[in-house]
Amino acid sequence: MTDMNLSWDYSKACKMIHILTAHLYEELHNEDGNPHKQAWLVEEKIKEFKDRLDIEIDLIQEAVRDE
């Protein structure tokens, strides 16, 4: 893999992490823009975020292993 390809893989994964983070912020609010106050709902959203985040981190780790 060239340096450019590895950098591109890093870029794609990091961009997705930014998107996921922005999505989490939106998910922590209701349609009126008020923050959710139910701890169970917030925990659920955090778990979903962590699961998706782990996928992107795995992609970064796999890309460098293929180097």
Side-chain angles (χ1 to χ4, degrees):
M1 181 178 293
T2 67
D3 286 352
M4 188 61 101
N5 289 342
L6 184 58
S7 182
W8 179 246
D9 286 344
Y10 288 169
S11 176
K12 289 187 294 186
C14 288
K15 181 176 181 177
M16 183 54 71
I17 290 169
H18 283 281
I19 291 168
L20 292 171
T21 302
H23 183 73
L24 173 63
Y25 178 80
E26 294 298 325
E27 290 283 308
L28 294 174
H29 295 79
N30 64 24
E31 292 105 22
D32 296 328
N34 297 315
H36 289 295
K37 296 179 182 178
Q38 303 90 342
W40 67 268
L41 181 58
V42 171
E43 290 297 322
E44 181 179 297
K45 299 302 178 184
I46 289 170
K47 183 188 179 320
E48 291 170 5
F49 172 74
K50 285 180 175 181
D51 290 345
R52 294 181 197 145
L53 184 64
D54 284 345
I55 292 169
E56 298 307 320
I57 291 170
D58 287 347
L59 289 173
I60 292 170
Q61 291 171 326
E62 192 63 33
V64 75
R65 276 190 215 113
D66 290 345
E67 182 58 25

